């Protein structure tokens, strides 16, 4: 397997992640649940500690040293994120709690002003609940329609279904994942963006999974909105990002009201601040934003070419080792797929798999993965899911396969 | 306390349940669903003689728990069933086995797996429903 | 001043706050801006590091060891907060980003269902923007009225105005601060709650400031909703709390849609989870919630009797030393007041005060303190504000006074 | 670069402004407001001869900046004023003094106080407005 590691010195990278040397149930931890949330490198942990130990105060409103330093550090991450996504301007970057809040922000503000009752929002059949439920809520509150773009059996966007969904011209927003958290499929976002734009619709891309594995260029892909969470990108919890094209953000009303999002307040009326501050009410997640900055530096330093190559090799390895296990079914066979592998095993329930692997120190996820409708589409009630990060080793995938065989023997 | 929730008895009853059927004289039914996984158990109850059967779809823990429950309650009174349920819930939480629970003690290992306890208690919820509906 | 320290060994407590030993502009930091955000004790910093280094995974959905441990730690903080506020049940505690989001959550969900167009919301004239702008937004979106309860010149609730505001029976919600972040006044929340309840209204109490200084008992005070932010309570940023009475939360629709807040999702329809999870969509601020737990332990260990006594002594000291400075005007003279002192100085603008104090290492805030309407009410455009924490020393207040005299000499 | 933004000249002109008036022949006006503090500056402009006066309410930096600006632009052409403004903005940001700025260099210390730079540039915004309105 040495070629897998060609670009990335994983063993040495792993030393940056203190948690990876833990034991679980007396066995070395094999953490294959990074798609739910990634572990944190030392530099992220240290950056957060550094702020709290030596340079902390509330941001934006202070005229003293600590506040200015903290504001500078906080706002510098906005520049960093803008660069990371290749946004045209730092003002297109809004900080939220997580990808879920980012999508809800768009549903509440853009959704209730730019979209009119009778307009339709289209989502794919493989969305995470975070990119489905907000549009259901918008439908029920605002009278928009919600339409589903089918996926093929291999787990890719069905372009014929897409055509049908857009045929009557009512769809004004396509909200679609950049990578499925269940099937691992990437979606062709450039093509989807062009498709939507040609038909006068906007596109929101849920990048919660993809952002970890690929270089994202929001301008090149034609994203109107792009969202992700810090905690999956080796950053802290409590911080997420919404990218929105300047022209769209400027036309949107605020989401939450409070300090820092207004120009002027009287009892009668308030005048909103410009984006992005219009959308950041109250004291933001200062420490976590700074932690996210450290995470982006960490990822940038390694570089996406190496990360992507490593991930591709791991995924191929996983597909081949798991594919050899009799009675094991891998969900989805997209051409373009990333480091997430969901599977079922004959006669063994996914929850039993997860519990029994855990007793061997191996962490995988089992259940519906917040994608209940997709489970129905794929004809399963739940799956087990192994997901990979830049610190994942091929031998951890081997350990998974051995663990699964052991479980099969128990259930035989 | 036995730390392994997958004892031989559990494996056996999950593979070859003895009570996976609708008993003769069924006059009440109940259902339990686990939203996390979509697992479901449907309980059939013939109140005369407290005969219980089940139709279950789910993990080994759920299947075995449903089957062991059906066995354990057979012939008991309504009050005895509720007492057994209380004891069972306590045992699953604490891991403390109790002679009165008999074969149900096989599930004591769940105490170290809080997220899986619901799999074992779901059949009992369905049975409660059947008893209260009936 | 030794009697001030009778209950609290501040010098030794200060060792728990690494930042307090920093220098600023070559002078030891005198941090008098804790009302904006408090500094963090080592135990909070360490608790966050501990999770990230040895016990981290996403919560609630995992069947493996790390996820179960993390979920337990996360949910244990809910119990801790419930105990801290004396809530009747842990299910009455909802985690948010900050106090601002907590209030907005109520405005969006309770506000748009329990309140009807034509109903009125009453706020006081000394609210932070966080407890004003959301009700303006509700007014503009939903057709509720917004009424202002006047305050007296000393900075206390004017009960005659309150009577008038409630006279026509239209007020269904009183949203009021527990302690003003500008004037330092506490409000008589028990009396206000009884007043509102007698008239068929609910009460939301903004505890962002008060929570730091006083024991809060939501049941004893009769709060229907109580909100606060972690970062002012020596905890991390990115975490806030909404307490809501069970009966009210249960009737409220969700706020954000996504993972973890639903029982069941199909494309057509979703069934909401019960509170508090109904209101916590997506991956929560796991690390920060655990940090908040450590902050509450820290505060509980010191105990509110000692904290409150220390704060009272500091405030009295500040009122007396600052009161001796000619041309200095302190805003508000409430009977019941806490560790926040806002002032203006003849011929010196608040911003000049803040900048010039900063050059002496002293951090105070200057401006409108996110309470622009209150500025108008008090006849000022901005003020300087010194605020105290459990680590504040009387000699820091003396340093402030000396600094102010030095500035006066410059401007003389 | 001088680190102190409160030099003697600044203190003096903030206390005793020389141009706090409406100049004869005023034919354009402009306004600047800082939302953070409510500070405001109103600029009067007599385009013939580029005579500028101001009515300011605010901190020492704002008052001095407005007054020094009025002095610096007197008699200049419109283009020269815009060039001076560019130089002034750059100097306030970087702290690099420039001979062409003359007395305005007294504000170079603001480079270390980013949050206060707006106080110094606000009068220039108001003047721009007046020049563009006129
Ligand atoms: C009284 C009061 N309410 C609300 C807030 C808003 O708190 P946060 O910014 O943490 O949401 C603050 C703090 O700025 C405050 O002092
Ligand atoms: C594709 C996708 N979208 C959205 C989310 C929601 O992310 P978060 O829980 O951080 O808001 C996730 C992660 O669970 C995801 O995988």
């Amino acid at each position: 397997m040495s070629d897998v590691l060609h670009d990335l010195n994983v063993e040495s990278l792993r030393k940056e992640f203190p948690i990876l040397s833990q034991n679980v149930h007396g066995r070395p931890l094999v953490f294959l649940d990074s798609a739910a949330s990634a572990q944190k490198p030392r530099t992220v942990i240290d950056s957060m500690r550094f702020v709290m130990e030596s340079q902390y105060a509330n941001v934006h409103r202070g005229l003293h040293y600590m506040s200015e330093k903290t504001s500078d550090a906080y706002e510098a991450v906005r520049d960093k994120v803008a660069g990371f996504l290749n946004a045209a301007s730092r003002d297109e970057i809004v900080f939220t709690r997580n990808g879920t809040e980012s999508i809800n922000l768009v549903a509440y503000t853009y959704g209730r002003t730019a979209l009119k009752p009778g307009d339709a929002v289209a989502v794919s059949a493989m969305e995470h609940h975070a990119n489905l439920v907000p549009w259901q809520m918008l439908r029920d509150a605002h009278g928009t329609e919600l339409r589903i773009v089918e996926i093929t059996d291999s787990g890719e966007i069905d372009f014929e279904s897409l055509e049908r969904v857009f045929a009557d011209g009512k769809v004004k927003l396509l909200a679609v994942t950049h990578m499925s958290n269940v099937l691992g499929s990437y979606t062709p976002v450039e093509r989807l963006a062009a498709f939507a734009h040609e038909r006068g619709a906007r596109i929101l891309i849920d990048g919660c999974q993809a952002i970890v594995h690929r270089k994202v260029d929001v301008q090149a892909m034609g994203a109107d909105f792009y969202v992700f969470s810090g905690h999956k990108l080796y950053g802290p919890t409590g911080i997420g990002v919404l990218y929105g094209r300047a022209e769209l953000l400027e036309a949107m009303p605020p989401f939450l009201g409070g300090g820092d999002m207004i120009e002027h307040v009287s009892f009668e009326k308030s005048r909103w601040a410009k984006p992005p501050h219009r959308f950041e009410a109250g004291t933001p997640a200062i420490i976590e934003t700074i932690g996210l900055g450290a995470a982006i530096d960490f990822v940038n330093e390694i570089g996406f070419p190496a990360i992507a190559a490593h991930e591709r090799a791991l995924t191929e390895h996983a597909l081949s080792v798991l594919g050899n296990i009799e009675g094991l079914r891998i969900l989805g066979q997209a051409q373009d797929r990333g480091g997430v592998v969901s599977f079922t095993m004959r006669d063994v329930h996914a929850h039993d798999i997860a519990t029994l692997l855990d007793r061997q120190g191996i962490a995988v996820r089992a259940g519906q993965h917040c994608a209940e409708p997709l489970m129905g589409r794929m004809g399963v009630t739940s799956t087990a899911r192994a997901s990979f990060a830049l610190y994942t080793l091929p031998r951890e995938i081997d350990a998974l396969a051995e663990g699964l065989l052991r479980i099969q023997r128990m259930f035989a | 306390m036995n730390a392994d929730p997958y004892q031989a008895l559990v494996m056996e009853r999950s593979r070859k349940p003895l009570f996976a059927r609708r008993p003769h004289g069924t006059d009440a039914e109940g259902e339990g669903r686990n939203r996390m996984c979509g697992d479901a158990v449907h309980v059939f109850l013939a109140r005369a003689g407290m005969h219980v059967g089940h139709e279950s779809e789910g993990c080994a823990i759920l299947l075995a728990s449903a089957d062991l429950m059906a066995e354990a309650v057979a012939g008991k009174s309504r009050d005895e069933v509720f007492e057994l349920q209380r004891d069972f819930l306590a045992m699953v939480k604490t891991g403390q086995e109790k002679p009165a629970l008999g074969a149900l003690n096989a599930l004591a290992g769940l105490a170290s797996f809080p997220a899986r306890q619901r799999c074992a208690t779901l059949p009992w919820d369905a049975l409660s429903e059947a008893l209260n509906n009936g």
Side-chain angles (χ1 to χ4, degrees), chain A, chain B:
Chain A
M1 289 308 312
S2 66
D3 57 329
V4 170
L5 306 180
H6 186 62
D7 290 303
L8 214 57
N9 188 339
V10 180
E11 289 289 2
S12 106
L13 266 179
R14 287 173 69 87
K15 299 213 176 69
E16 300 298 316
F17 293 81
I19 203 174
L20 296 180
S21 54
Q22 295 280 314
N23 276 356
V24 161
H25 298 306
R27 307 288 209 85
L29 171 63
V30 173
F31 190 77
L32 299 176
D33 192 21
S34 294
S37 198
Q39 298 301 343
K40 320 303 174 202
R42 213 174 284 283
T43 163
V44 167
I45 302 171
D46 288 348
S47 71
M48 294 168 73
R49 201 180 56 185
F50 175 79
V51 196
M52 291 190 268
E53 285 188 356
S54 58
Q55 201 188 85
Y56 179 79
N58 210 330
V59 294
H60 296 150
R61 291 170 246 156
L63 295 174
H64 55 79
Y65 179 86
M66 287 294 171
S67 178
E68 290 193 349
K69 286 290 171 204
T70 313
S71 302
D72 288 352
Y74 176 80
E75 288 298 332
V77 179
R78 204 185 300 279
D79 291 307
K80 195 163 285 178
V81 173
F84 189 62
L85 298 178
N86 192 32
S89 153
R90 67 189 313 278
D91 296 336
E92 298 181 318
I93 305 301
V94 178
F95 291 124
T96 61
R97 175 176 37 244
N98 50 27
T100 299
E101 192 191 15
S102 300
I103 297 173
N104 279 276
L105 192 163
V106 176
Y108 268 104
T109 60
Y110 183 83
R112 289 169 195 217
T113 54
L115 300 182
K116 307 294 171 213
D119 287 350
V121 175
V123 304
S124 89
M126 57 179 166
E127 297 308 316
H128 188 279
H129 293 165
N131 198 25
L132 173 60
V133 181
W135 309 115
Q136 291 183 328
M137 289 170 63
L138 180 69
R139 175 193 65 195
D140 297 343
H142 186 62
T144 46
E145 207 187 316
L146 176 60
R147 296 183 182 180
I148 310 299
V149 178
E150 295 302 329
I151 57 169
T152 63
D153 290 338
S154 62
E156 293 169 310
I157 296 287
D158 178 343
F159 271 79
E160 284 174 24
S161 168
L162 188 70
E163 292 274 7
R164 282 193 303 275
V165 160
F166 273 77
D168 65 3
K170 284 196 177 169
V171 173
K172 294 289 183 279
L173 179 71
L174 174 61
V176 69
T177 192
H178 193 180
M179 173 181 168
S180 161
N181 64 312
V182 176
L183 306 176
S185 335
Y186 288 102
T187 56
V189 281
E190 295 81 0
R191 185 172 162 203
L192 290 168
F195 184 97
H197 291 158
E198 278 160 23
R199 285 156 186 83
R202 309 285 187 191
I203 186 165
L204 175 145
I205 301 171
D206 173 0
C208 287
Q209 291 298 333
I211 194 77
V212 186
H213 305 290
R214 291 210 160 167
K215 177 71 196 146
V216 166
D217 181 331
V218 289
Q219 295 190 78
M221 70 176 56
D224 294 300
F225 298 104
Y226 195 94
V227 312
F228 71 91
S229 294
H231 68 94
K232 297 189 200 260
L233 188 62
Y234 312 104
T237 46
I239 178 69
V241 167
L242 166 66
Y243 158 84
R245 276 205 300 113
E247 157 203 347
L248 301 176
L249 290 184
E250 268 154 29
M252 279 153 56
F255 177 37
L256 306 185
D260 264 359
M261 50 68 72
I262 32 73
E263 281 285 339
H264 165 73
V265 179
S266 70
F267 287 128
E268 293 70 40
K269 211 173 148 36
S270 296
R271 204 166 56 231
W272 317 128
K274 291 198 206 318
H277 295 288
R278 184 185 299 163
F279 305 105
E280 295 177 7
T283 302
I286 303 168
I287 300 160
E288 297 66 35
T289 304
I290 291 169
L292 172 63
I296 290 176
D297 286 342
F298 178 78
V299 164
N300 276 337
E301 208 164 294
I302 298 171
F304 275 107
I307 292 173
H310 175 62
E311 179 201 20
R312 216 162 23 243
L314 283 172
T315 308
E316 274 166 30
H317 183 57
L319 294 176
S320 115
V321 217
L322 298 181
N324 284 335
I325 297 179
E326 233 218 85
L328 187 147
R329 174 189 164 202
I330 292 173
L331 276 78
Q333 301 111 1
Q335 283 296 315
D336 190 12
R337 68 176 295 162
V340 166
V341 180
S342 287
F343 57 92
T344 57
M345 222 160 62
R346 196 165 53 223
D347 296 335
V348 193
H349 190 282
H351 280 190
D352 293 323
I353 294 176
T355 300
L356 289 162
L357 285 173
D358 181 49
R359 293 173 61 77
Q360 305 172 46
I362 304 168
V364 302
R365 192 142 290 238
Q368 307 182 324
H369 314 291
C370 292
E372 193 174 335
L374 175 59
M375 295 293 113
R377 167 66 182 83
M378 303 308 279
V380 295
T381 52
S382 65
T383 78
R385 181 187 76 182
S387 55
F388 317 134
L390 53 77
Y391 45 68
T392 306
L393 290 166
R395 68 168 142 81
E396 294 184 300
I397 293 168
D398 298 336
L400 168 66
E402 284 155 31
L404 290 172
L405 290 170
R406 205 169 298 136
I407 293 167
Q408 273 195 335
R409 284 194 295 275
M410 269 182 71
F411 277 79
Chain B
M1 157 177 163
N2 189 317
D4 186 1
Y6 292 91
Q7 293 192 31
L9 180 61
V10 170
M11 296 306 296
E12 192 186 307
R13 296 303 274 286
S14 73
R15 265 173 309 199
K16 299 203 193 80
L18 304 178
F19 297 85
R21 52 172 156 75
R22 184 187 179 95
H24 195 76
T26 290
D27 57 355
E29 303 187 19
E31 203 170 48
R33 282 191 172 277
N34 184 342
R35 70 167 168 123
M36 247 188 80
C37 49
D39 284 0
V41 51
H42 194 97
V43 156
F44 304 96
L45 170 63
R47 277 173 291 168
M50 192 66 79
H51 291 295
V52 168
H54 65 98
E55 233 170 59
S56 304
E57 208 175 323
C59 63
I61 306 292
L62 177 122
L63 299 177
S65 178
D67 216 57
L68 293 170
M69 172 186 81
E71 185 171 41
V73 301
K76 289 221 164 21
S77 75
R78 189 186 149 95
D79 283 354
E80 285 168 338
V81 171
F82 282 126
E83 195 183 325
L84 205 62
Q85 177 178 25
R86 264 194 306 279
D87 286 351
F88 179 75
L89 295 185
M91 182 270 288
V92 160
K93 261 207 143 63
T94 62
Q96 304 261 301
E97 303 186 18
K98 204 168 170 176
L101 288 167
L104 293 169
N105 284 316
L107 289 160
L110 284 175
S112 353
F113 296 86
R116 301 300 305 281
Q117 290 169 7
R118 181 119 184 75
C119 312
T121 59
L122 207 62
W124 291 88
D125 290 353
L127 178 58
S128 289
E129 190 181 302
L131 282 164
N132 292 327
N133 284 350

